Amino acid sequence: MRKTAASGEAKVAGERSLLLGIGISSVGIGMYIPFSLVFFHHVTGLSLTVVGLVMTVTGLAGLAFMPLAGAAVDRYGAKRVNLVLYGIRALGFALYPFASSLAAFAAVALVTAFADRSFSVVQQSLIGEVARGAARDRLQASIRALQNAGMGAGALLVSGVLALWGTGGFTYTAWGNSLAFALAGLLVSRVRAVRAVRAGEAAATAGPPDAGYRTVLRDRPFLGLTAANFLTALGYSALSVLFPLYLSTWLTAPDSLTGAAFTVNTVLCAGIGVLVAGRVRRSGARRTRSAALGALLFAAAFVGQIVLGTLRPGRTATLIALLAIVVVYTLGELVHSPSGGALSVSAAPEAVRGRYLATYQLSYSLAGALAPSLFTALLAVDGRLPWAVLAVAALGAALALLRLERHLPAEAVHAEPPVVRRRPRTTRRGTVPTPASPA
């Protein structure tokens, strides 16, 4: 890595290729995620019921592969596994138009689900492999901004394709996805891993002699970090799962507000995500505290929904309040995500980083799987109840992060080594200041 003169932050070798590859793959993801059921229905010719069942089963099966992906990262390296997953996704989308039978679709969907579910584990591990210190936080913010921008561009692109070719355009979209993942893999292949390790990180990166998932399960601070992230991850599901239901059933607001909220969230994430994360990073805040701040902003947004659901003002006031709440929610996302991601990557010992991050990423997957049934059950009782549960969960996550701070490795809590200021030495000639030194 090299340092820029302006910021002093390390630049990752091949960083532009990495980010460009992620941006291109995000365009591909945006081309099918908003239309997933309809997309696969038209590409394969199978019924919506069959497509939905296969997607549910293969998606759950894909969760079982995440621990295997973590073990593969520890054995072969994140970059190699990352390239394999890009290749599997490219091949899968190239084959979808030919998977017209149930057996063929299920087989292709299962292999692709394995790659999709495992990708977040491998990508987080790759950040740990190619970057250190504050560069990890910066990469986390840049990747999230690019993912939002790319998915938005992909959704617009597929809308244009459908306008020109109708539903037959979904086949071209599948092949476009395949090409996007192949290009992304070629670009990511140019990234180089960091070889040198600072002396201060030696303890954290040294793997235990019996490295494996038992090591992760014995690491109580990291399990606590994972549990805290599960509480926050429930909040990440709120905008896509709970918000539309809450609008239509409790506030009886027009469904068009859901699209407006998603647009505000996407534009802010893509437009100011890097700026907000940079401001947090330059403030010198500890990762645990900035992640806790993000959780508190989530809690404030959820409390805002409770207040709005209690007052139920007119349509104009509701629109203004909802957009304000979405802005606060998005700021929480922008503050929490880079710090939380870098915190998990840096708290994982290098030799077993893949296994650690597979465990951590399960908190997102489990929260995403639980959210629909949990939110609908609570919403059936009272429209404000799911927001109250989310607010308590976010507050609990913030408190847990603060309590875990002293139990996590210092190089995980701090983006840069903390500076210890020693007391001045007193001599016969007066007080002589002692220069600060890194801890």
Side-chain angles (χ1 to χ4, degrees):
M1 292 191 296
R2 64 184 186 279
K3 291 188 176 181
T4 62
S7 65
E9 291 180 6
K11 298 289 288 184
V12 174
E15 180 175 331
R16 291 182 180 178
S17 296
L18 171 65
L19 296 178
L20 182 58
I22 289 171
I24 290 174
S25 65
S26 297
V27 172
I29 293 170
M31 289 170 68
Y32 80 93
I33 283 292
F35 314 94
S36 53
L37 281 173
V38 178
F39 174 89
F40 290 116
H41 164 64
H42 285 291
V43 168
T44 63
L46 298 171
S47 69
L48 288 171
T49 303
V50 170
V51 169
L53 179 62
V54 170
M55 288 180 64
T56 299
V57 173
T58 56
L60 291 174
L63 292 176
F65 285 108
M66 291 176 67
L68 298 178
V73 166
D74 294 334
R75 182 166 186 174
Y76 302 108
K79 179 180 173 180
R80 290 180 181 177
V81 180
N82 184 276
L83 295 177
V84 169
L85 295 188
Y86 268 132
I88 291 174
R89 296 166 103 186
L91 180 61
F93 277 91
L95 292 177
Y96 270 128
F98 305 102
S100 55
S101 68
L102 174 59
F105 176 58
V108 176
L110 179 62
V111 175
T112 308
F114 156 64
D116 286 340
R117 293 288 186 176
S118 302
F119 192 78
S120 58
V121 175
V122 180
Q123 181 168 277
Q124 289 294 100
S125 300
L126 181 63
I127 292 173
E129 196 171 276
V130 304
R132 300 207 181 273
R136 289 176 176 170
D137 304 69
R138 178 170 48 75
L139 273 182
Q140 293 277 359
S142 299
I143 287 171
R144 190 163 191 84
L146 277 172
Q147 286 173 334
N148 279 276
M151 289 181 68
L156 289 176
L157 182 59
V158 74
S159 298
V161 170
L162 295 178
L164 287 174
W165 289 292
T167 54
F170 279 120
T171 297
Y172 301 112
T173 301
W175 289 330
N177 286 344
S178 177
L179 179 61
F181 290 131
L183 286 175
L186 289 174
L187 287 164
V188 172
S189 67
R190 301 176 62 183
V191 182
R192 293 200 301 273
V194 179
R195 297 300 179 189
V197 179
R198 293 197 305 255
E201 293 184 357
T205 58
D210 59 340
Y213 278 104
R214 287 182 298 177
T215 304
V216 184
L217 295 177
R218 287 198 296 264
D219 192 336
R220 291 186 178 180
F222 192 85
L223 293 180
L225 184 64
T226 303
N229 191 66
F230 171 78
L231 297 177
T232 311
L234 287 172
Y236 275 92
S237 301
L239 189 62
S240 59
V241 179
L242 175 58
F243 190 80
L245 295 174
Y246 176 69
L247 281 182
S248 60
T249 62
W250 187 258
L251 293 181
T252 60
D255 292 333
S256 59
L257 286 182
T258 299
F262 273 95
T263 301
V264 170
N265 177 262
T266 301
V267 170
L268 288 177
C269 285
I272 66 169
V274 175
L275 179 65
V276 171
R279 184 68 178 268
V280 171
R281 192 169 63 250
R282 288 189 294 273
S283 72
R286 301 176 185 182
R287 287 170 175 152
T288 43
R289 298 184 185 185
S290 52
L293 175 60
L296 290 176
L297 288 170
F298 270 180
F302 301 148
V303 170
Q305 293 284 26
I306 295 172
V307 173
L308 180 62
T310 301
L311 298 178
R312 296 190 189 185
R315 177 168 294 189
T316 302
T318 298
L319 172 61
I320 295 172
L322 281 173
L323 293 180
I325 289 170
V326 170
V327 169
V328 174
Y329 172 90
T330 305
L331 287 175
E333 183 180 341
L334 297 180
V335 172
H336 175 271
S337 181
S339 299
L343 181 62
S344 65
V345 171
S346 302
E350 186 172 302
V352 283
R353 183 183 290 136
R355 291 177 173 88
Y356 265 68
L357 293 181
T359 304
Y360 184 83
Q361 290 297 319
L362 274 174
S363 63
Y364 280 113
S365 299
L366 291 175
L370 177 63
S373 58
L374 174 64
F375 292 160
T376 51
L378 294 174
L379 196 63
V381 178
D382 189 295
R384 296 160 294 185
L385 186 57
W387 298 112
V389 171
L390 287 175
V392 171
L395 290 172
L399 179 61
L401 285 165
L402 296 178
R403 290 178 65 87
L404 285 167
E405 185 175 284
R406 61 192 179 94
H407 300 290
L408 293 168
E411 57 277 0
V413 173
H414 301 271
E416 294 293 350
V419 175
V420 178
R421 299 193 177 278
R422 300 172 182 170
R423 294 181 178 179
R425 292 183 290 109
T426 302
T427 65
R428 292 181 180 179
R429 296 184 178 182
T431 301
V432 178
T434 303
S437 62

